[in-house]
Amino acid sequence: MARTIITPIQKRFSDIDVFHHVNNVSQQMYFDVGKTDYYRQVFSEDMLLGDQRVVTVSTSSNYISQIRFTDQVRVTTTCEKIGNKSLTLYQQLLVGDRLCSDSRSVMVAFDFPNQQSIPIPEEWRRRLSAE
């Protein structure tokens, strides 16, 4: 089973829309905060700043329940699938036990100096699979 990283989210006043709930665009930013935390904890800073990183090629989200300004929100992030050159991250925004939204992102391993996709390095596979 893959490792799940839990990241508490600090909401900003600007995240709230005229309906008094967290806007869907802000929820996407919360997912990005979770991804960054996941990369730091699973891979280290190299994943964020190194020559070989991941890039997002596809994201889909479901909005299930409203998030209010006073809600304590956390995002969970886990690697759901590892392919040859890509991986799929699954994330959930939770308030208590209530699922508010979820997202799947397909990420491709990318060599930035050579501007091309690459197979997922074995070290990444090991770290992604570790509990």
Side-chain angles (χ1 to χ4, degrees), residues 1 23 33 49 62-63 79 86-87 90 105 111 116 127:
M1 172 175 256
N23 185 282
V33 168
L49 305 171
N62 300 297
Y63 303 99
C79 183
S86 68
L87 58 97
Y90 177 68
S105 298
D111 180 331
Q116 64 185 13
R127 289 176 180 239

Side-chain angles (χ1 to χ4, degrees), residues 20-37:
H20 300 161
H21 69 268
V22 173
N23 185 282
N24 294 355
V25 172
S26 295
Q27 291 185 42
Q28 288 302 311
M29 288 189 269
Y30 297 170
F31 288 130
D32 287 344
V33 168
K35 284 178 193 157
T36 302
D37 193 32

Side-chain angles (χ1 to χ4, degrees), residues 11-18 20-23 68-69:
K11 292 181 301 308
R12 299 168 305 243
F13 184 75
S14 61
D15 293 344
I16 308 306
D17 62 19
V18 297
H20 300 161
H21 69 268
V22 173
N23 185 282
R68 301 286 183 177
F69 185 68

Side-chain angles (χ1 to χ4, degrees), residues 71-113:
D71 290 338
Q72 297 298 312
V73 181
R74 68 189 185 285
V75 59
T76 63
T77 306
T78 191
C79 183
E80 183 175 64
K81 178 183 174 186
I82 305 170
N84 181 39
K85 291 186 175 186
S86 68
L87 58 97
T88 302
L89 293 181
Y90 177 68
Q91 297 181 279
Q92 296 179 316
L93 288 181
L94 300 163
V95 172
D97 292 334
R98 179 170 50 98
L99 175 61
C100 297
S101 58
D102 66 1
S103 179
R104 279 189 174 80
S105 298
V106 177
M107 318 297 289
V108 169
F110 199 78
D111 180 331
F112 274 84

Side-chain angles (χ1 to χ4, degrees), residues 57-73:
V57 296
S58 174
T59 299
S60 65
S61 299
N62 300 297
Y63 303 99
I64 299 157
S65 178
Q66 295 181 41
I67 300 173
R68 301 286 183 177
F69 185 68
T70 56
D71 290 338
Q72 297 298 312
V73 181

